[in-house]
Amino acid sequence: MKSVSVGNVTLALEDRGGSRSQAEPSFSKPALLLVHGFPLDHTMWREQIEYFSVHGRVIAPDLRGFGESSNAPDDGSELAAVSMAAYADDLAALLDQLGVDRPIVFCGLSMGGYIAWQFCKKHGRRLAALVVCDTRAIADSPQAAAGRAELAKRTLTEGTEPVVAAMLPKFFGPETIAQQRPCVADTVAAMHRASPIGIASALGAMATRPDMTASLAEIRVPTLVVVGEHDVISTADEMHGIAERIADAELVVIPGAGHISPLEDPEAFNHALERFLREKAGWN
């Protein structure tokens, strides 16, 4: 992995595939930016990194506080302020540091989708197409926000275990959990790699994120909406509603999958994404 300094943080990332030369055909393809969910890191996209980097450029960062990326500096007594807009700004600055000056395909899952809405709002000129997976457009209810605050406190005092216990049962379809497939253990490992401060900061950012439902109609780039059939966090019905609000958006439901559909059924996910990239984003 390489690392890039962006403002007051250092972001670790995979940057693979594609030509950097204007003389090569792959230069004309938009880079694919893969943005992970909470509280994971870029490794949730490993199957997509391997598959799509053969055909074009794939950039998969660890968000601040996750994986091998740093937290924003603080004095140790309080959390550094962060928001979905700040994560989006981090990614725009990362693209600048990497010399990516052409529009990209932004693909975000769960919290990565929350960041996608802000990226659309603040950096929409940088988008060639959008892919949002297993995410939501609505804001947290007061009860949900209070639950995140409590989980943040526990994480800061007890470490990552409370977040693993809270999130893991919601991440996968029932068969995957029952079979204890390798993706389950890999996801647990990714959650343990996150820093408690990074987790708590992200929980605060999610609890205070704005409702973006009304903004969906303003999206004017080709959009793919993907959801696992058994997602209990962002249900198929809710994702259908998101797709209906975005002009000409396409909805794909991954059979049998839960909340982390790209990891749980990479073959079905990659098939849907590849078709979208070829038809809507010039990945021919």
Side-chain angles (χ1 to χ4, degrees), residues 22 27 30 40 63-64 75 99 112 122 129 155 166-167 172 174 224 235 269:
Q22 296 190 40
F27 178 82
L40 308 176
L63 296 170
R64 60 166 70 193
D75 64 4
K122 299 191 69 177
T155 301
M167 300 304 298
F172 297 104
L224 176 65
T235 66
F269 183 90

Side-chain angles (χ1 to χ4, degrees), residues 111-184:
M111 188 175 83
Y114 305 158
I115 298 167
W117 307 136
Q118 296 302 316
F119 196 92
C120 288
K121 183 177 180 179
K122 299 191 69 177
H123 308 287
R125 64 178 180 80
R126 307 193 77 144
L127 285 176
L130 176 67
V131 183
V132 286
C133 318
D134 301 276
T135 193
R136 313 187 79 184
I138 62 174
D140 267 5
S141 67
Q143 294 81 5
R148 292 195 201 274
E150 178 60 29
L151 184 56
K153 290 178 183 178
R154 290 191 62 197
T155 301
L156 290 173
T157 57
E158 301 174 36
T160 55
E161 196 55 49
V163 114
V164 173
M167 300 304 298
L168 188 63
K170 303 175 184 179
F171 275 168
F172 297 104
E175 289 188 10
T176 299
I177 293 288
Q179 295 168 0
Q180 286 294 297
R181 286 171 45 193
C183 61
V184 176

